[in-house]
Amino acid sequence: MAETNTLPLTAKTLVFDTTSQTLHLHDSLPVPIPNPAKNDHLIHVKTTALCARELEWPALYPVAIFLENPEKRVTPGYDLAGTVITAPQASPFNPGDEIYARTLPSRPGNCREYTIARTEEMALKPQKLDWVKAATVPLSALTAWQALFDHAGVKGFDDPNAGKIKVLVVAAAGGVGVWVVQLARMAGLEVVAQVGSAKNEKFVKGLGASKTVNYKTESLKQWAEREGPVDIVFDLLGGKTLEDAWFCVKDRGALISIVEPPEERRPEVLKNKAVKNEFFIMKPNGQQLAVISKFLDEGKFEAVVDSVWDLEDYEGAFERLNGGHANGKVVIKVAK
């Protein structure tokens, strides 16, 4: 483990007050202390990226969020790009390594100058990505990867039936959507992307979508009546959109949501429709992230940045995030 006697004792840290529902930037909260027995690494944070609705998680999932956070200090930003400061003895990562990760939300997040990441969460940062672009990748890319290959049943990038599979991606221009589009395209699937503007139509077609549906001019149900159902639907919005998504998926197809259980939004008229439907929460996975790093360095994927904010401008970052119209990820620069 590297020497820590030159490290500051305190650091800037963004904290979400769950009582007042407000964010506050503290100048001198303690630097976290890594536990080598838990594969903890101390990381100097360069950038983090925000996730939609993450400030709602403490109220929605208090047991999970505070599982390893006895102080119940909520720091947002669970994507991470930074430099290893200290590493446990058996770690494959060394002090000075440039890494990125999706860290578990059961611990404080990464809107702070120093944070903790664990071996199983981490991968080396793609060499071709700068700190800003690197922060956009882990959560979104891993969610898309696991949705496609772990839950929807797509058999990797060598599926002989891939060309016969048609997928619909809801909210395709958002942080996760852009990765579902790119991964599905690379796997050889036909991709239909739901968007809300001509600008976003051009954007997602540039990522690999062959067709689009504009939610401002027709609902998913109307689109399915006109175009016919698809093999897989990826829901990234929930609510009425998820309800309509049931009309878009074929019998014996798959409906995958990262927002809420699809079964709870099944229309009564489709109560007997045989569809594999799943809700899942992505899991940090450094091994999968390392494969994604390889593809990024080969230029096969694009990391999509919506906007970049300094840590001191956190209010603007969250306003942009919560506005619902971000294309790609909202990034916060932590290190100057």
Side-chain angles (χ1 to χ4, degrees), residues 4 17 37 47 62 66 84 86 90 97 106 111 124 130 167 180 183 196 204 216 231 255 263 273 283 291 296 321:
T4 60
D17 187 317
T47 51
F66 298 122
V84 176
T86 69
D97 282 350
S106 56
C111 282
L124 293 175
D130 61 20
V167 303
V180 179
L183 281 167
V204 296
K216 291 183 178 179
D231 300 285
L255 173 55
E263 192 64 41
K273 191 173 189 178
K283 298 178 180 178
V291 177
L296 282 161
L321 176 75

Side-chain angles (χ1 to χ4, degrees), residues 129 133-134 136-137 140-141 174-183 185-186 202-208 292 295-306 327-329:
L129 296 192
K133 287 188 175 181
T136 71
V137 174
S140 296
V176 175
V178 298
W179 276 97
V180 179
V181 170
Q182 291 183 91
L183 281 167
R185 178 260 304 161
M186 185 174 172
K202 181 179 179 181
F203 171 60
V204 296
K205 283 186 174 179
L207 296 176
I292 292 165
F295 288 141
L296 282 161
D297 277 334
E298 292 173 352
K300 293 180 178 178
F301 296 135
E302 180 180 347
V304 183
V305 179
D306 175 81
N327 287 350
K329 299 287 282 189

